């Protein structure tokens, strides 16, 4: 009789992992010189931030000063310091071991790659925008050399690598497309290829010559990536973390608080970036830095602390968000933070429908519009048909939430008997019907209710208990402007939605939603009323969206039908909301919040790309879904579904280990 024990389960998992992974070096370097190169490279990259990178102030950020870092130099400083610290932590330096509890050198490599990406991006940007490498000062050269030295040293450390990499061969059609693109580019540039193009569509070709360069570049980059991946063989490997040293409760709480303080600083830096080059560098360093901390096990150790102190973690998160407006000198950035909270709250409401119940809703933004219009109509706006009706803000919010609830039940009752693509098509139709109806209720095409395409403007500012949210307030040395007032108000609404989501997800109805999502037929066979459960999810999601919409109407001061589209260049719209849920991590609380923040910030900061903004944004989404399909902050069930073979065995009885069918 075979008895399964936690030790045997862990041993089996280690054996499976060793069969597919190995610890080896990419470059045949001795360990100590390789480590020295990493530390030296990180120090040089960090030291370059105190030197001039270019002689002219024409490059954004003015990188001409000595001893005064600015713009991208701050990112090089952060990347270099992180690289050196992770390398010393991997070596086991006393006082830094907490930074690399997994003992893997992969985190060192990712940090070095992030520093390289920032430094070389800055060098290339300076050379392109200022016409030549001659515009680089010693600091720029030092950053480039130092970051490259750190990467070469990291490749000489023993890394966790896959034993084999299997890639499907590129189809011959891609190479044919590459050749055809090059031929057409040359032919269109010289004019002889235009004779084969009908005159009516020639402008399409002549005005988009960039496409015939971009397509070969993408194919070449794909081929280069496959070659690089086959050489490095760096894969997703999660080592079981050793038992942590027991700390006093107050020390653990202090660590959690410090982490959120650092997070607040990072968010403040990202939101307040003043030009596109700096924001792209921030994204590069954040992506590689996060990968480095994940590989080193620091994030896993932090996850253990937050699990033990959930109340403190939640309080610290909301305290950091509440402190954000007091750290800003510009109301513009505070408004961005307010809009992020609105978008994130609506995405969390959609997470009830998509993440928990598994219902694909493509018209969810309509419920946001229902709540916004219902609240705006009774808020005393002179453009409302009920201009003499001015209800208190809490009552207006309640009316907006109830109106969305009614629409959720009315729309959900006849449509939720559908499944899959059919349900998605119906909800997409509802979203478009709502927008068209709001356009037509102008007194000409239909009854006079919404003022048609002009919408409802001049919505009065909120006033609660004598506190006017439309005016600036001073609290001693702290200043809070109008947008800061509304950010704190939206933070309260977010807290309400988070509380509702957390309570419902862990309740009996929440478990029923998950059962319906995984297998509706099996759930109904176990006695769950599928239609009733789905209708409750649809109604609750609509109510949360209506609540956020009511607050949004007062924050923006005006609403119009063109704000509630299925897709568009700026959020919130149904496509962006769905992307935020999937990108962040379905079924979690923090996932949609992080996903919504990224999806709002990225388009706002990529405005310098102009007509190529959506192209770059779509490319970023494709890359994120390729390398992190389960979402940025995924539950164990999602990680197991997408990376079952790569998850380490758990030190627990076999019955407690979830599988795809029993997660």
């Amino acid at each position: 009789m075979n008895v399964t024990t936690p030790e045997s389960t862990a041993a089996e998992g280690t054996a499976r992992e060793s069969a597919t992974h190995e610890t080896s070096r990419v470059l045949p370097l001795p360990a100590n010189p390789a480590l020295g190169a990493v530390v030296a490279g990180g120090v040089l990259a960090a030291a370059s931030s105190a030197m001039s990178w270019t002689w002219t102030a024409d490059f954004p950020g003015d990188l001409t000063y000595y001893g005064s870092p600015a713009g991208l130099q701050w990112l090089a400083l952060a990347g270099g310091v992180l690289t050196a610290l992770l390398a010393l932590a991997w070596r086991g330096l006393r006082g830094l071991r907490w930074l690399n509890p997994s003992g893997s050198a992969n985190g060192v490599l990712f940090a070095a790659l992030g520093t390289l990406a920032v430094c070389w991006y800055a060098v290339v940007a300076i050379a392109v925008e200022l016409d030549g490498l001659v515009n680089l000062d010693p600091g720029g050269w030092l950053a480039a050399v130092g970051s490259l030295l750190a990467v070469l040293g990291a490749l000489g450390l023993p890394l966790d690598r896959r034993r084999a990499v299997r890639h499907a061969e590129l189809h011959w059609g891609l190479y044919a497309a590459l050749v055809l693109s090059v031929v057409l580019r040359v032919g269109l540039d010289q004019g002889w290829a235009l004779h084969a193009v009908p005159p009516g569509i020639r402008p399409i070709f002549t005005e988009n010559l960039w496409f015939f360069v971009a397509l070969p570049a993408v194919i070449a980059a794909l081929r280069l990536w496959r070659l690089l991946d086959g050489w490095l063989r760096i894969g997703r490997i999660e080592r079981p973390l050793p038992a942590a040293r027991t700390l006093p409760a107050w020390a653990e709480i202090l660590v959690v608080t410090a982490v959120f303080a650092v997070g607040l600083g990072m968010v403040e830096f990202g939101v307040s970036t003043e030009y596109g080059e700096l924001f792209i560098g921030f994204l590069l360093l954040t992506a590689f830095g996060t990968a480095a901390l994940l590989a080193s096990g620091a994030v896993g150790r932090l996850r253990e602390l937050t699990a033990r102190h959930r109340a403190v973690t939640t309080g610290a998160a909301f305290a950091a968000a509440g402190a954000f407006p007091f750290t800003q000198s510009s109301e513009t950035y505070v408004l961005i933070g307010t809009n992020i909270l609105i978008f994130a709250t609506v995405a969390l409401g959609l997470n009830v429908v998509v993440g928990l119940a598994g219902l694909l809703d493509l018209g969810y933004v309509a419920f946001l519009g229902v709540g916004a219009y219902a609240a705006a109509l009774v808020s005393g706006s002179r453009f409302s048909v009920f201009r003499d009706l001015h209800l208190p803000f809490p009552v207006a919010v309640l009316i907006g939430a109830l109106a969305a609830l009614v629409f959720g039940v009315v729309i959900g009752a006849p449509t939720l008997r559908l499944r899959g693509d059919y349900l998605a098509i119906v909800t997409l139709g509802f979203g478009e019907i709502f927008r068209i109806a709001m356009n037509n209720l102008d007194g000409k095409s239909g009854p006079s209710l919404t003022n048609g395409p002009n919408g409802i403007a001049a919505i009065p500012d909120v006033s609660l208990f004598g506190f006017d949210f439309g005016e600036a307030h001073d609290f001693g040395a702290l200043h809070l402007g109008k947008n800061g007032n509304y950010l704190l108000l939206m933070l309260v609404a977010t807290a309400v939605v988070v509380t509702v989501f957390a309570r419902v997800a862990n309740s009996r109805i929440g478990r029923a939603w998950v059962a319906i999502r995984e297998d509706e037929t099996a759930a109904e066979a176990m006695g769950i009323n599928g239609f009733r459960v789905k209708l409750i999810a649809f109604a609750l999601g609509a109510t949360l969206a209506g609540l956020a919409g009511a607050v949004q109407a007062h924050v923006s001061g005006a609403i119009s039908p063109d704000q509630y589209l299925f897709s568009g260049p700026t959020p919130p719209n149904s496509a962006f909301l769905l992307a935020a849920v999937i990108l962040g991590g379905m079924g979690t609380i923090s996932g949609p919040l992080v996903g919504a923040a990224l999806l709002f910030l990225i388009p706002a900061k990529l405005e310098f790309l102009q007509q190529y903004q959506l192209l770059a944004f779509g490319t970023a989404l494709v890359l994120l879904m390729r390398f992190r399909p389960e979402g940025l902050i995924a539950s164990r069930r999602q990680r197991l579904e997408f990376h079952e073979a790569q998850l380490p065995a758990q030190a627990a009885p076999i019955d407690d280990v979830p599988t795809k069918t029993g997660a």
Side-chain angles (χ1 to χ4, degrees):
M1 178 178 178
N2 295 328
V3 178
T4 301
T5 64
E7 291 76 11
S8 64
T9 304
E12 291 174 4
T14 303
R16 287 195 301 267
E17 185 176 334
S18 62
T20 57
H21 299 91
E22 65 181 8
T23 301
S24 60
R25 296 176 172 84
V26 177
L27 297 179
L29 300 176
N32 289 333
L35 180 64
V38 176
V39 175
V43 170
L44 289 177
S48 70
S49 64
M51 303 175 64
S52 171
W53 283 18
T54 180
W55 63 273
T56 174
D58 291 342
F59 187 79
D62 195 359
L63 310 180
T64 61
Y65 292 96
Y66 281 84
S68 179
L72 289 165
Q73 292 174 328
W74 282 113
L75 300 178
L77 174 62
V81 170
L82 179 62
T83 301
L85 290 179
L86 283 175
L88 295 175
W90 174 81
R91 190 72 175 92
L93 184 66
R94 183 177 293 275
L96 290 178
R97 296 173 185 172
W98 57 270
L99 197 56
N100 191 359
S102 69
S104 173
N106 288 28
V108 181
L109 175 61
F110 288 135
L113 287 173
T115 308
L116 179 76
V118 169
C119 294
W120 282 70
Y121 168 72
V123 168
V124 172
I126 291 173
V128 171
E129 295 188 21
L130 302 181
D131 297 327
L133 292 174
V134 68
N135 295 286
L136 281 177
D137 268 3
W141 290 108
L142 186 64
V145 173
S147 59
L148 181 60
L149 178 64
V151 171
L152 294 176
L155 293 176
L157 298 178
L159 302 169
D160 294 326
R161 308 170 67 197
R162 293 167 290 173
R163 290 186 180 274
V165 177
R166 296 181 179 87
H167 286 309
E169 288 297 325
L170 294 180
H171 194 269
W172 64 268
L174 288 177
Y175 295 107
L178 187 151
V179 174
L180 182 61
S181 296
V182 173
V183 172
L184 286 177
R185 177 66 178 83
V186 174
L188 292 172
D189 191 42
Q190 297 179 356
W192 54 265
L194 288 175
H195 298 293
V197 180
I201 61 173
R202 285 180 183 176
I204 298 177
F205 289 85
T206 57
E207 295 175 6
N208 295 280
L209 293 178
W210 62 268
F211 174 80
F212 301 101
V213 177
L215 181 60
V218 169
I219 297 174
L222 180 60
R223 183 59 180 168
L224 179 62
W225 160 250
R226 291 183 174 223
L227 293 174
L228 187 63
D229 188 38
W231 177 55
L232 295 177
R233 292 187 279 121
I234 304 296
R236 178 188 175 91
I237 303 171
E238 295 186 4
R239 288 187 175 187
L241 299 180
R245 187 181 65 180
T246 303
L247 295 176
W250 64 266
E252 294 182 346
I253 292 174
L254 189 62
V255 170
V256 172
T257 304
V259 168
F260 276 100
V262 173
L264 173 61
M266 291 179 57
V267 171
E268 192 275 335
F269 187 92
V271 171
S272 59
T273 51
E274 298 178 351
Y275 48 94
E277 292 85 350
L278 181 58
F279 183 71
I280 291 178
F282 172 76
L283 286 182
L284 289 172
L285 184 61
T286 301
F288 280 104
T290 302
L293 295 178
L294 282 169
S296 68
V299 173
R301 191 70 83 208
L302 177 63
R303 192 180 295 122
E304 295 174 359
L305 293 180
T306 56
R308 286 199 295 268
H309 304 281
R310 291 188 182 276
V312 174
T313 301
T314 304
F318 280 99
F324 175 77
F326 298 104
T327 65
Q328 300 298 309
S329 58
S330 173
E331 282 286 283
T332 302
Y333 302 137
V334 181
L335 180 60
I336 291 177
T338 306
N339 289 326
I340 287 175
L341 279 180
I342 294 173
F343 187 25
T345 303
V346 182
L348 194 57
L350 179 60
N351 199 25
V352 173
V353 181
V354 176
L356 294 181
L359 305 174
L360 185 55
D361 189 348
L362 298 183
Y364 188 76
V365 75
F367 296 118
L368 177 71
V370 169
Y373 267 97
L377 287 172
V378 299
S379 296
S381 169
R382 66 177 183 271
F383 294 97
S384 169
V385 294
F386 308 113
R387 59 181 58 88
D388 296 328
L389 182 61
H390 188 181
L391 297 180
F393 173 72
V395 179
V397 170
L398 183 60
I399 290 176
L402 290 177
L405 170 62
V406 171
F407 270 83
V409 174
V410 170
I411 298 300
T415 61
L416 287 178
R417 299 188 186 278
L418 302 173
R419 297 186 185 182
D421 298 340
Y422 303 101
L423 176 63
I425 293 172
V426 172
T427 55
L428 174 61
F430 166 65
E432 292 302 298
I433 289 171
F434 168 78
R435 181 179 59 83
I436 295 171
M438 294 302 102
N439 267 315
N440 291 337
L441 296 179
D442 58 355
K444 298 178 182 178
S445 303
S448 178
L449 182 63
T450 64
N451 205 21
N454 295 323
I456 301 175
I459 299 174
D461 287 311
V462 176
S463 180
L464 283 176
F465 308 109
F467 186 89
D468 190 348
F469 283 74
E471 297 181 357
H473 300 274
D474 291 317
F475 303 94
L478 301 178
H479 177 77
L480 194 64
K482 173 182 176 180
N483 293 330
N485 296 330
Y486 281 114
L487 185 144
L488 296 181
L489 177 64
M490 198 60 224
L491 193 60
V492 173
T494 304
V496 172
V497 175
V498 167
T499 303
V500 171
F501 183 91
R503 296 293 183 182
V504 173
N506 295 322
S507 67
R508 181 178 179 181
I509 188 67
R511 292 192 293 271
W513 286 337
V514 173
I516 289 290
R517 183 192 68 193
E518 295 299 320
D519 193 326
E520 184 173 349
T521 303
E524 291 179 344
M526 296 300 294
I528 296 176
N529 188 330
F531 172 74
R532 182 173 63 86
V533 167
K534 290 192 294 184
L535 185 59
I536 293 174
F538 209 73
L540 178 60
T543 303
L544 297 179
L547 185 149
V551 179
Q552 181 212 22
H554 289 82
V555 172
S556 60
I559 57 173
S560 59
D562 57 5
Q563 296 176 355
Y564 308 104
L565 304 171
F566 167 71
S567 63
T570 58
N573 53 64
S574 293
F576 270 71
L577 288 169
L578 186 61
V581 173
I582 297 175
L583 173 65
M586 294 191 298
T588 64
I589 294 177
S590 53
L593 299 180
V594 173
L598 287 176
L599 292 187
F600 190 93
L601 257 183
I602 292 176
K605 294 297 183 178
L606 293 183
E607 291 181 349
F608 70 98
L609 292 179
Q610 299 177 358
Q611 67 267 33
Y612 306 120
Q613 176 183 349
L614 284 180
L615 175 64
F617 178 67
T619 303
L621 281 183
V622 170
L623 293 176
L624 284 171
M625 288 295 96
R626 166 62 181 84
F627 296 105
R628 190 81 177 179
E630 71 274 25
L632 296 176
I633 303 177
S635 63
R636 176 166 173 77
R637 180 183 291 108
Q638 291 293 106
R639 296 200 304 271
L640 185 61
E641 181 177 350
F642 288 99
H643 304 283
E644 183 176 19
Q646 299 174 13
L647 284 177
Q650 303 297 302
I654 191 66
D655 292 340
D656 293 338
V657 180
T659 63
K660 284 187 178 181
T661 58

